[in-house]
Amino acid sequence: MTDKAPDRDFHDEIDDAIDNLFSPRMGSDLGKPAETPSLQPVAQAAADPAPVTTAPVPGSLLSVDGTDAFAPFDEALLSLDWEISPGNIEKARSALKEIQGFFEVDKAVALTEIFALMDRLLEVMAIAPQSVSTSAPKTLQEGLQTLRVAAGADDLSLVEKTLIDPTLSELRSAIPNIPKDYSKLGQTAQPKTQGVSGIEQKTEAAAVTPVQSVPTEEDVLPELPVVAPSGTSAAVLIETVNGHIAVLGKCIAKRIVPIENLFAKTPGYEKLHAIHTELRERMERQKQNLIKALGVDYQADAPLPLEPAAGQSEKSAVSTAAACPWQNVALASWGGKKVGFLPEQIVYQKKPAERVRKCGSFLPMKKLKRGLFGKISFVVQGELSFRDEATLNMLTIPVANPSGAKEYTPRADSPLLILFKENSGMAFWLDEPTEQFDTSTGCRWEPVADPTTLVAGNLTVNGEIVPVITMRGM
Amino acid sequence: MALIDLSKKEIHCKIVYYGPGRCGKTTNLLTVHSTMADNARGKMLTIETKGDRTLFFDLLPLNLGTIRGFNIRIQLYTVPGQVMYAATRKLVLKGVDGLVFVADPLQVRRERNIESLEDLRVNLLDYGLKLEELPLVIQYNKRDLVDTPIPTLTVAELDADLNSVFNVKTFEASAVTGMGVFETLREISKQTVRYVTNKHLLHVTK
Ligand SMILES: Nc1nc2c(ncn2[C@@H]2O[C@H](COP(=O)(O)OP(=O)(O)OP(=O)(O)O)[C@@H](O)[C@H]2O)c(=O)[nH]1
Ligand SMILES: [Mg+2]
């Protein structure tokens, strides 16, 4: 690049500013080109994103006898990281077996499950690569790190809680089953019986075969029993599966299809469109499989699962309680009442300037700009952060009125929260900022079917009923 | 995207991290983001839905502050490196002012680096831009792997493959440890701001 600047001093000042800004806590040589081959890791703070360092191998361990046995697997994993090919998978699997052989017998026994899950994950990658997250090689890397540490540990029980257990659960959750987001919808505990009849499920079912490991959460997902259960449990099962089909259908129609269509008509979003098409097709296949398996027991108009059926025996362990479809809900008090919002729909949540409080029932988004050069896109997040400034400038959002009174004036310190989805939004003056609530920590969920209300359903949290407000979009 | 608004006295520069899939572009931005002070950085926007592969782009806005009354903002973007996302890569390049080409040192990725650099050159041409005329630095990432049994390319090999024509500044780096990340960023930022201000013949008097 040419250095013929119109004004050297101005550029010198810029250079200084850049040096100041981009040397935070680094203290390393400034702007030196490649001839510095120093490989010392710099500032610990910068190491956060390193995935491979989560289970650090003590330096001393690397020289432990036979540690080289890890190298072929390490290398195979790297190849896999680039390309999931049958050859690379085969290489990794045999390298993994080699490692297992290298362990002392009692350790090898204690680590069986890790080996089994790693091998199983590799196998799934071979059979159904499209169903495995691209981070699977990374998960395997972490497994490898754990094995390394285990190899050097005198006493495995010391690392069991800190290392082995977390690795096991990572591996388990890396082995795919149904799409994650929907795993909680109408989740049903089915008998863990193998042997799926559908043709469609060939790949997914095969993915669950050979290594006999301890049953995991995923093992319990929608595989169909060979031997039909009888009596009450059959009835409960039929009802549950029918409910599950209904939920699947609703998910497809209300959630996937609108998004898929939206992406279809938005240039540049082809990939997301393709992903949603694939997701929808997979869900539709699942639905068809379940319908086929139910045969005459299929009820096209089955109600969405709500509560465990009355009188259902505790022992049947088949829960039909509807799980909240969202892992997290943002709870807040609004107009003195506790309500919930979907975090992914929150596009703005701050205490805005005084002038915003005087907006009344409609809030022009441009009022949210901060400072002279501020832009709306600097202050919004989520879906709105993809809109261009010109569009945002024209956007006016209705303000929800908790009291029903004619004119509502927010308190001077009320945080403002804006929900937005597709083309609709709503603003809320809260009494206090929201708090994240993890719905898996025990609460009841009752969906509200009425499409005319913004309440998607009611959560019961500690005995209190909390309506969850969502924008339903198109 | 280069934007100089003289009335508002704002200078915006767009720097794109380009390179083959998995070379560490996103990790560069994550490292910058996690290391910088809050007041200088904006929110990092990562749009990705498949594992940790970038599907659209990552965006990290940085604020250089005010110099002679000019508010200077730098936006760092990454492209999705995977071959299939050609269209998105091109889209992200639109309006680029400066480029960091991140190269992967793994021997098995040798061809991918070369292809990706060529892909960059061709995409720019479609926007009427010549790579040799834009601010460009090359980063040889993942140097932490050099000491491992994994076969890596030497700096000389990387130079020969990627830098024999352009002969630009190169940086050895390890995006996961932070080594070289800020050195790369400093250099490309200086070149880019200079380029943008020169291009617009911005004359700032004392
Ligand atoms: N050992 C090592 N690994 C790295 C380094 N930089 C990135 N990685 C790893 O390489 C993998 C890919 O890194 P990303 O930053 O996601 O790569 P990317 O270039 O953004 O990839 P795409 O989004 O697919 O184009 C991750 O597992 C990173 O942790 C590095 O300097 N050293
Ligand atoms: Mg990326």
Side-chain angles (χ1 to χ4, degrees):
Chain A
M1 285 307 92
T2 140
D3 265 4
K4 271 188 242 122
D7 187 317
R8 284 272 342 152
D9 292 345
F10 178 52
H11 286 138
D12 288 346
E13 277 181 40
I14 289 176
D15 286 357
D16 287 347
I18 288 171
D19 284 337
N20 283 336
L21 183 67
F22 298 148
S23 52
R25 294 175 268 150
M26 307 295 293
S28 46
D29 30 0
L30 298 182
K32 264 225 195 115
E35 61 268 9
T36 47
S38 143
L39 292 176
Q40 247 71 293
V42 200
Q44 193 47 44
D48 289 349
V52 192
T53 51
T54 39
V57 187
S60 60
L61 205 100
L62 292 168
S63 52
V64 162
D65 215 0
T67 310
D68 266 352
F70 291 112
F73 187 63
D74 211 0
E75 207 179 306
L77 283 186
L78 265 161
S79 313
L80 264 186
D81 205 14
W82 304 123
E83 199 182 3
I84 300 184
S85 69
N88 286 341
I89 292 174
E90 220 15 76
K91 220 164 65 186
R93 289 183 78 179
S94 60
L96 184 64
K97 282 214 180 68
E98 246 171 63
I99 296 180
Q100 196 166 17
F102 148 79
F103 274 89
E104 306 146 23
V105 177
D106 51 341
K107 271 192 187 168
V109 170
L111 298 167
T112 321
E113 201 183 345
I114 292 199
F115 280 109
L117 287 173
M118 285 172 78
D119 189 65
R120 183 166 153 193
L121 181 52
L122 282 164
E123 189 180 36
V124 180
M125 286 163 90
I127 300 165
Q130 74 286 351
S131 66
V132 182
S133 157
T134 47
S135 58
K138 205 187 278 176
T139 309
L140 289 166
Q141 280 276 6
E142 281 163 21
L144 174 65
Q145 292 289 51
T146 301
L147 292 176
R148 275 208 160 122
V149 176
D154 291 334
D155 181 358
L156 276 191
S157 64
L158 295 178
V159 289
E160 193 177 326
K161 284 274 170 299
T162 52
L163 206 59
I164 297 181
D165 287 352
T167 306
L168 284 173
S169 73
E170 283 247 334
L171 282 164
R172 283 181 197 130
S173 56
I175 296 169
N177 225 298
I178 58 168
K180 266 201 183 111
D181 292 355
Y182 303 96
S183 57
K184 293 173 79 197
L185 287 173
Q187 184 171 328
T188 59
Q190 307 254 357
K192 187 186 178 298
T193 325
Q194 299 286 349
V196 178
S197 51
I199 330 138
E200 208 51 85
Q201 280 170 332
K202 226 183 200 158
T203 45
E204 306 225 4
V208 198
T209 22
V211 188
Q212 276 309 329
S213 58
V214 178
T216 66
E217 240 182 301
E218 287 83 12
D219 290 331
V220 190
L221 284 163
E223 273 146 30
L224 306 167
V226 186
V227 187
S230 56
T232 332
S233 73
V236 172
L237 256 180
I238 289 167
E239 187 190 333
T240 310
V241 176
N242 270 312
H244 188 58
I245 294 172
V247 173
L248 263 177
K250 191 175 161 220
C251 265
I252 295 168
K254 293 260 165 71
R255 306 201 157 262
I256 309 290
V257 172
I259 302 280
E260 188 187 347
N261 291 342
L262 182 74
F263 285 138
K265 54 188 186 205
T266 316
Y269 282 53
E270 292 78 10
K271 265 83 47 185
L272 270 191
H273 175 241
I275 288 169
H276 278 77
T277 307
E278 190 203 317
L279 182 60
R280 175 183 49 74
E281 285 167 0
R282 278 179 71 183
M283 291 175 80
E284 274 168 354
R285 281 203 298 274
Q286 283 292 332
K287 191 176 147 193
Q288 287 315 316
N289 286 334
L290 293 176
I291 292 175
K292 217 188 296 172
L294 275 183
V296 290
D297 292 320
Y298 170 58
Q299 262 179 282
D301 54 354
L304 295 172
L306 286 177
E307 304 281 348
Q312 183 183 326
S313 80
E314 255 180 57
K315 262 178 135 183
S316 74
V318 180
S319 159
T320 47
C324 175
W326 303 289
Q327 170 85 40
N328 285 304
V329 170
L331 298 186
S333 157
W334 173 59
K337 182 163 176 37
K338 194 149 214 136
V339 294
F341 302 97
L342 289 197
E344 61 263 36
Q345 292 188 352
I346 299 176
V347 293
Y348 180 94
Q349 184 177 191
K350 278 191 191 76
K351 288 186 183 160
E354 187 50 38
R355 64 197 143 91
V356 183
R357 297 180 193 275
K358 301 195 181 112
C359 281
S361 318
F362 289 94
L363 169 76
M365 290 295 284
K366 59 175 173 236
K367 289 242 165 45
L368 297 177
K369 284 189 210 175
R370 295 192 151 198
L372 220 50
F373 306 129
K375 290 197 169 160
I376 307 174
S377 53
F378 296 165
V379 297
V380 293
Q381 58 186 39
E383 196 173 319
L384 281 191
S385 54
F386 306 115
R387 311 280 167 128
D388 56 38
E389 192 67 17
T391 315
L392 292 175
N393 250 313
M394 316 232 299
L395 216 58
T396 294
I397 306 259
V399 180
N401 186 338
S403 61
K406 248 202 322 278
E407 204 49 51
Y408 171 73
T409 329
R411 285 198 330 247
D413 61 343
S414 296
L416 173 69
L417 178 141
I418 301 179
L419 292 184
F420 200 90
K421 185 180 174 205
E422 289 155 26
N423 287 317
S424 35
M426 182 72 83
F428 300 83
W429 289 105
L430 304 180
D431 304 333
E432 71 210 25
T434 59
E435 270 172 33
Q436 290 281 334
F437 175 73
D438 182 349
T439 61
S440 59
T441 56
C443 60
R444 232 177 47 198
W445 169 252
E446 279 174 65
V448 170
D450 180 1
T452 58
T453 150
L454 288 182
V455 177
N458 291 306
L459 275 177
T460 310
V461 184
N462 301 331
E464 189 180 359
I465 294 184
V466 180
V468 177
I469 300 175
T470 63
M471 301 309 300
R472 299 194 191 242
M474 309 187 303
Chain B
M1 176 88 41
L3 179 135
I4 299 196
D5 188 329
L6 287 172
S7 61
K8 287 189 189 156
K9 296 203 120 186
E10 282 200 53
I11 301 177
H12 285 217
C13 303
K14 174 174 182 175
I15 296 176
V16 176
Y17 282 66
Y18 210 91
R22 282 272 189 235
C23 65
K25 301 174 291 293
T26 300
T27 311
N28 258 280
L29 261 62
L30 286 170
T31 298
V32 172
H33 182 258
S34 66
T35 315
M36 284 191 56
D38 283 350
N39 55 357
R41 62 166 204 211
K43 202 186 290 172
M44 174 149 168
L45 175 74
T46 302
I47 311 175
E48 52 186 3
T49 52
K50 269 248 172 199
D52 55 5
R53 304 308 293 264
T54 305
L55 290 193
F56 290 98
F57 58 83
D58 310 300
L59 164 61
L60 176 60
L62 301 172
N63 196 346
L64 206 56
T66 308
I67 298 168
R68 304 242 184 134
F70 277 87
N71 190 350
I72 304 181
R73 291 172 188 276
I74 295 179
Q75 295 181 317
L76 306 182
Y77 281 80
T78 72
V79 295
Q82 295 183 84
V83 177
M84 59 188 163
Y85 299 136
T88 313
R89 250 195 316 281
K90 191 163 156 189
L91 210 63
V92 176
L93 268 187
K94 192 167 182 189
V96 63
D97 304 306
L99 286 152
V100 175
F101 184 82
V102 182
D104 199 311
L106 295 192
Q107 289 218 343
V108 288
R109 302 295 287 170
R110 190 166 190 170
E111 283 301 307
R112 290 276 174 280
N113 287 328
I114 299 171
E115 281 166 19
S116 174
L117 189 61
E118 178 58 13
D119 176 59
L120 169 61
R121 198 185 60 78
V122 172
N123 277 336
L124 287 172
L125 276 183
D126 282 350
Y127 288 122
L129 296 169
K130 289 201 180 126
L131 182 53
E132 55 274 26
E133 290 173 4
L134 280 173
L136 165 71
V137 302
I138 300 181
Q139 182 187 75
Y140 300 148
N141 191 26
K142 305 195 186 176
R143 295 319 281 171
D144 54 304
L145 296 179
V146 170
D147 281 346
T148 68
I150 299 154
T152 49
L153 297 162
T154 63
V155 168
E157 284 168 327
L158 287 160
D159 272 338
D161 284 353
L162 308 170
N163 201 22
S164 57
V165 178
F166 302 111
N167 207 9
V168 294
K169 281 198 179 165
T170 58
F171 293 88
E172 285 189 67
S174 166
V176 291
T177 67
M179 182 192 87
V181 168
F182 279 90
E183 286 79 349
T184 310
L185 178 58
R186 270 201 291 271
E187 179 59 29
I188 193 59
S189 302
K190 289 178 188 176
Q191 289 191 21
T192 306
V193 177
R194 204 162 278 241
Y195 168 81
V196 168
T197 51
N198 282 347
K199 193 168 73 177
H200 293 263
L201 289 177
L202 181 68
H203 194 83
V204 183
T205 48
K206 275 206 169 158

